[in-house]
Amino acid sequence: MYFEIRLRKPEGVFYIVLMPKSSRSKSKTKSQAPKSTNHSHPKARLISSRTVYRGPAFWVTTDQVQEPGGVSVRRDIIHHSGSVVILAVDDSGPTPHVLLERQYRHAAQDYLWELPAGRIDPGEKPLPAARRELLEETGYTAAHWRRILHFYASPGFVAEAMSVFLATGLRAGQAKPEPDEIIHKRMVPLPAAIRMVMTDKIRDAKTISSVLWLDHRVGRGDLSKI
């Protein structure tokens, strides 16, 4: 809504537009309104789904879905029961040390440096799974546990979610790996682990994100709070 005042002069007609004060106030209020959360956004509508593969570690479905934008598409999704990652840190000295493993990964066709990690068994809770995996793969137990990160490994087509647990107060013990697991473990000073990330020696995403998280906390002076 607006008002016009017309002034006639020989050169032509000039307009002065006066906007009501209340309209400006409403406009400002609207611009300052909080944005809607992701929970209010529409999701895809599942039209049909069929399992095309089921193995011991994951299963695959072919889904027909209607995306939030209205487009109908086919999505092939890898489903997984979820994984745990353990950022095991020896914080007994002035420089934190991170427990890393080196093992062969056939999908990458190479040996990779990684944090201890593993699948959550059906019916198992994440924290007990993290305790179990740390003991089985490395022999270590930890006095203190805290979940620090939760993310999707590759959300374009993999439904696997990963929970990263910070484990401190470590105590060494006897590892109990699976028959097909040949794992070499090493305690690496945090600065060296960061160099491994930055020089492409650590190429595993879960390990990169967790090591960078730790470095950020230490850099802020939060070492006593990790």
Side-chain angles (χ1 to χ4, degrees):
M1 181 178 178
Y2 62 88
F3 301 98
E4 295 182 354
I5 300 177
R6 302 188 180 188
L7 301 177
R8 291 192 174 271
K9 289 192 175 184
E11 296 81 4
V13 179
F14 295 84
Y15 291 87
I16 300 176
V17 180
L18 302 177
M19 297 297 294
K21 185 175 182 181
S22 58
S23 297
R24 292 198 301 269
S25 299
K26 290 179 180 179
S27 176
K28 183 177 180 181
T29 302
K30 183 178 180 180
S31 66
Q32 294 176 346
K35 295 181 179 179
S36 59
T37 64
N38 290 335
H39 299 292
S40 64
H41 293 174
K43 296 183 178 181
R45 182 171 68 88
L46 182 63
I47 299 172
S48 65
S49 179
R50 63 187 180 93
T51 301
V52 296
Y53 170 80
R54 183 173 291 276
F58 61 87
W59 67 101
V60 181
T61 62
T62 293
D63 299 347
Q64 293 293 330
V65 299
Q66 185 179 58
E67 293 286 332
V71 179
S72 294
V73 295
R74 166 182 165 172
R75 300 294 188 200
D76 296 320
I77 304 298
I78 299 174
H79 298 268
H80 192 277
S81 58
S83 299
V84 289
V85 182
I86 302 93
L87 178 59
V89 179
D90 180 0
D91 58 346
S92 59
T95 300
H97 283 58
V98 179
L99 179 60
L100 294 179
E101 301 176 345
R102 184 171 173 82
Q103 59 181 318
Y104 183 77
R105 293 297 195 181
H106 179 63
Q109 297 186 15
D110 204 352
Y111 288 86
L112 300 181
W113 284 105
E114 303 178 46
L115 293 178
R119 185 180 62 165
I120 301 173
D121 290 335
E124 190 177 29
K125 297 294 184 181
L127 180 55
R131 295 178 186 272
R132 173 180 55 77
E133 287 292 343
L134 181 64
L135 177 62
E136 289 178 357
E137 293 190 357
T138 71
Y140 277 91
T141 56
H144 309 290
W145 292 84
R146 179 161 61 94
R147 194 177 84 164
I148 57 171
L149 295 172
H150 184 72
F151 56 86
Y152 290 96
S154 182
F157 62 95
V158 181
E160 178 186 11
M162 288 188 166
S163 294
V164 181
F165 285 88
L166 174 68
T168 56
L170 302 181
R171 182 175 180 179
Q174 183 65 41
K176 303 174 184 178
E178 297 290 335
D180 63 337
E181 291 180 326
I182 301 177
I183 298 173
H184 303 278
K185 60 181 182 289
R186 180 186 298 176
M187 278 290 183
V188 179
L190 179 58
I194 292 298
R195 286 195 298 272
M196 292 172 70
V197 168
M198 304 308 294
T199 57
D200 203 31
K201 290 183 174 60
I202 293 180
R203 293 174 287 155
D204 172 64
K206 64 182 182 291
T207 304
I208 292 172
S209 58
S210 301
V211 168
L212 292 180
W213 177 92
L214 179 62
D215 184 60
H216 176 69
R217 293 299 298 266
V218 172
R220 289 174 47 191
D222 294 342
L223 180 59
S224 61
K225 301 177 182 179
I226 65 172

